[in-house]
Amino acid sequence: MGASTIWSRTDIANQILSGDHLIIYRNHLLRISPSWLDAHPGGTLALLHFVGRDATDEVDAYHSDATIKMVERFSIGRVELSQRGWDPLTPPVMSGWVRTVDGDGKPQWYHEAEAIRTHEHNNNNLPSSEILLVDKNLALSSSSGPTLATITPPPSPLSLEVQAKHSKAYKELHKRISDAGLYQTPYLTGYGPEVLRYSLLAGLSAYTYAHDWLIPSAVLLGLFWHQLAFTAHDLGHMGVTHVWAIDRLLAIFIADFLGGLSIGWWVQNHNVHHLVTNHPSHDPDIAHIPFFAISTTFFSSLWSSYYKRIMPFDRFSKFLISFQHKLFYIIMMFGRFNLYANSYTFLYQKAWDSKRARGGRWAWWLEILAVGLFWTWYTYVLYGCGSWPKAIVYLLVSHAITSPLHVQIVLSHFSMSTEDLGPVESFPHRQMRTTTDVICDDAVAFLHGGLHLQVTHHLFPRLPRHNLRKASKLVKEFAKEECLVYAEFGFIRGNCDVIGVLREVADQVKIIGQVADAEVAEVVNKLHKNSGPDPNTILNCR
């Protein structure tokens, strides 16, 4: 079929079931080849989550104009639209189906997880459109691949017409922001003061360290890492020079060499988080079992499509989660160690991956070198503390100081909705439903790196961070016109809301434990009553 072919929804569904990765963009049907799926700089899952869906808003939000010009090269025709626009299909990955290669090198379907649909399990706690993933061994399935029923979305409480209206308005908003020049990076006024701040923190940390003032040095180093994370974030989004190679090189220097974290891991993780924000089975940024659960849906031992493993709600998880609201800030103090673990797991896996993403080979080797150099200079710093106790204190203090960054990140999502409203939901609707801003005074905005304006950032991830405040005014006008909620709260209230959510889930764990204990006690009592000698037997013995 050529580029002039008109594809019906039925034809597209059949091709997807045959193994093609088809995505709609501006009425074009794009076929994503296996080679590009593996080479996509944003990661494979960023594409798989939009198979059978209209990804126009997401593609425009995440790609520069130069990249978008190349998108239509993947077009194999146009789509047949109804009066309501494109009626989406459910991507196979969201129902636990992915394409793999067998021993002979032939592609085949692999069922990595079992999908739980509300109407099948009669769970009134979930919206009708909810699809969660659990261990595939919990349900028997004889299918060798997904079926039409698999990729047909469950009923959604949302109107396709209304979501199409939101999408159209978002496109107009995007044009207004672009025409206002907000994609132009303010190098001098934006990054100028930040470079001075970074240099001051690094210099003061080195100065205090040289004078054996180890605690102040550790605090200043932690603040240095805290501030650097914001620029690394911008570079990962291609929000500085907007040139992939340049932004990636700068990001490796800042994130890997100065901070010890893999920018490659962060980009893939963060892109998925942005695209399926707050989805219990798919968003890695809320997959924190056994330490945190922000929804009772995690009690089902969900499958993570990002981590490719079950998130077990076992005895250990129940114990920790029952106290999660009390452990929150303590665990956040050690959040950076979790980032190390995820970074190095990613780099290790990529070492055996022959299908690395674009620029993957040189970028991977450069990351390995940069991380090695980080641990070389940081180990030298620890060794210079003079003793192991001092080195351990320096290690813990320098890492604990970065914890406000981790707290800030979760404030924008932990208290927001974790419901899955299905593929019908538009990009702007999902981002505004699952994300909130943290209100702060301009004088202390640098402490948040400008990323307290998360709603606008989620709608326009490539937008230079220093332009988010101007753009947020336009976004608020958009929200008012479209009757969407622009959520925002102060830092203190945000913390209270998150702690409240954690406490509510913790209370549910305790209730489950009390019910289980009561059921066990009831069984034991019955056994005790039934285990006594039969009176008739006693009488006969006499």
Side-chain angles (χ1 to χ4, degrees), residues 200-494:
L200 180 63
L201 290 171
L204 288 175
S205 179
Y207 177 81
T208 51
Y209 181 85
H211 286 74
D212 205 30
W213 302 333
L214 297 182
I215 298 300
S217 175
V219 170
L220 289 164
L221 179 59
L223 292 174
F224 174 68
W225 284 338
H226 173 275
Q227 288 291 300
L228 275 182
F230 300 126
T231 298
H233 170 275
D234 301 345
L235 293 164
H237 274 298
M238 286 179 58
V240 181
T241 70
H242 307 294
V243 178
W244 185 88
I246 298 176
D247 279 2
R248 182 54 58 93
L249 282 170
L250 292 172
I252 291 174
F253 174 75
I254 291 176
D256 295 70
F257 173 65
L258 296 179
L261 304 176
S262 167
I263 191 64
W265 160 74
W266 182 87
V267 167
Q268 293 205 14
N269 175 286
H270 200 63
N271 281 343
V272 175
H273 158 68
H274 267 265
L275 294 169
V276 286
T277 310
N278 269 22
H279 193 297
S281 289
H282 304 297
D283 182 358
D285 277 11
I286 63 169
H288 297 305
I289 296 289
F291 300 104
F292 298 125
I294 62 172
S295 168
T296 55
T297 56
F298 286 101
F299 295 177
S300 300
S301 292
L302 300 179
W303 169 268
S304 169
S305 63
Y306 179 85
Y307 291 111
K308 303 299 181 186
R309 61 174 173 81
I310 295 294
M311 297 178 282
F313 185 64
D314 52 19
R315 185 172 298 179
F316 182 59
S317 299
K318 292 176 184 177
F319 174 76
L320 288 181
I321 293 172
S322 65
F323 298 101
Q324 62 179 357
H325 54 297
K326 298 179 180 179
L327 299 174
F328 176 66
Y329 295 108
I330 297 174
I331 294 175
M332 286 293 102
M333 291 176 66
F334 301 97
R336 195 171 183 89
F337 293 102
N338 182 56
L339 303 186
Y340 289 142
N342 286 325
S343 292
Y344 305 151
T345 298
F346 170 84
L347 291 174
Y348 173 78
Q349 292 172 342
K350 285 298 177 183
W352 309 102
D353 185 1
S354 60
K355 301 174 180 178
R356 295 176 192 155
R358 167 191 165 191
R361 189 165 297 279
W362 68 261
W364 181 84
W365 278 111
L366 200 55
E367 284 203 72
I368 293 295
L369 175 63
V371 167
L373 290 174
F374 165 80
W375 284 109
T376 298
W377 72 258
Y378 188 60
T379 301
Y380 179 81
V381 169
L382 295 177
Y383 180 78
C385 290
S387 67
W388 282 112
K390 290 182 178 179
I392 292 174
V393 170
Y394 193 99
L395 173 75
L396 294 178
V397 171
S398 61
H399 283 72
I401 290 299
T402 65
S403 61
L405 173 63
H406 309 304
V407 172
Q408 174 194 323
I409 292 172
V410 303
L411 288 186
S412 294
H413 300 291
F414 269 27
S415 62
M416 302 301 287
S417 172
T418 59
E419 295 178 341
D420 174 16
L421 300 184
V424 168
E425 186 173 25
S426 66
F427 175 66
H429 189 278
R430 180 173 190 90
Q431 299 310 319
M432 301 194 73
R433 180 175 61 84
T434 58
T435 310
T436 181
D437 280 359
V438 178
I439 304 170
C440 74
D441 189 85
D442 289 348
V444 295
F446 74 94
L447 295 175
H448 299 276
L451 291 179
H452 56 292
L453 300 170
Q454 279 286 301
V455 174
T456 302
H457 169 61
H458 264 251
L459 289 171
F460 303 100
R462 289 186 302 108
L463 203 66
R465 175 166 44 91
H466 306 93
N467 294 336
L468 288 177
R469 184 170 294 280
K470 293 180 181 178
S472 68
K473 296 178 181 178
L474 299 178
V475 173
K476 288 182 178 180
E477 293 176 6
F478 158 80
K480 185 176 181 180
E481 292 169 358
E482 293 298 307
C483 297
L484 294 172
V485 176
Y486 189 112
E488 55 183 355
F489 46 48
F491 188 77
I492 294 177
R493 182 196 156 188

Side-chain angles (χ1 to χ4, degrees), residues 171-189:
K171 291 178 177 64
E172 295 171 355
L173 171 65
H174 199 166
K175 187 176 185 305
R176 288 177 63 193
I177 285 178
S178 181
D179 291 345
L182 296 181
Y183 272 103
Q184 297 176 10
T185 303
Y187 292 107
L188 185 60
T189 59

Side-chain angles (χ1 to χ4, degrees), residues 59-60 62-69 238 242 462:
V59 171
D60 287 343
Y62 281 86
H63 299 85
S64 65
D65 292 339
T67 301
I68 288 176
K69 290 178 181 178
M238 286 179 58
H242 307 294
R462 289 186 302 108

